[in-house]
Amino acid sequence: DTTDTGNEENEENTEAVEVVNVEDADKQSETGAIRVTKSTSLAMEDAKDCVKELKEALEEIERLEEFTPPARLEDIIKQIQELSVSLLCNLQDWKKAAGKEPER
């Protein structure tokens, strides 16, 4: 008296989605995951978002005073490091995506 819902088949066919750099898009995934690459517009938007966040973090430095606690400075340093790395990665993705798209 078991009813087949078909869910088992759907679960078996579900594959992981893996975001990869554009330059790696042509390589076969070892895990069989579906490979998704960033488009130029997505990479551009991500880079612009990082620039906004980085500007905000830098503006916060202007509001600091001489006696700002070292722990607060450490938080700001960490935030700027993370945002800088993220921005550089997004710029690299943008460059790679632009290199893969045909020129207009």
Side-chain angles (χ1 to χ4, degrees):
D1 290 357
T2 59
T3 305
D4 184 13
T5 61
N7 288 342
E8 294 82 11
E9 185 178 320
N10 289 342
E11 288 174 10
E12 290 174 12
N13 291 334
T14 302
E15 296 181 28
V17 174
E18 177 183 357
V19 177
V20 296
N21 290 330
V22 173
E23 67 185 10
D24 298 329
D26 298 329
K27 296 179 184 175
Q28 182 78 20
S29 172
E30 295 171 11
T31 62
I34 299 167
R35 298 178 82 74
V36 179
T37 59
K38 276 191 179 181
S39 66
T40 303
S41 59
L42 178 59
M44 181 182 73
E45 287 301 315
D46 287 348
K48 287 183 176 185
D49 288 343
C50 280
V51 168
K52 287 177 190 172
E53 291 180 47
L54 192 53
K55 277 183 180 178
E56 290 170 6
L58 293 172
E59 287 170 357
E60 188 172 342
I61 291 173
E62 294 177 353
R63 294 187 293 270
L64 296 179
E65 297 177 2
E66 182 179 352
F67 302 107
T68 300
R72 180 68 190 121
L73 292 170
E74 184 64 35
D75 288 344
I76 293 171
I77 290 167
K78 211 176 207 179
Q79 181 184 19
I80 290 175
Q81 286 173 329
E82 290 171 0
L83 288 169
S84 297
V85 168
S86 181
L87 174 59
L88 292 172
C89 289
N90 284 315
L91 287 171
Q92 285 292 338
D93 287 345
W94 184 356
K95 178 182 154 192
K96 289 173 189 173
K100 293 283 184 178
E101 293 182 2
E103 291 188 27
R104 298 176 199 203

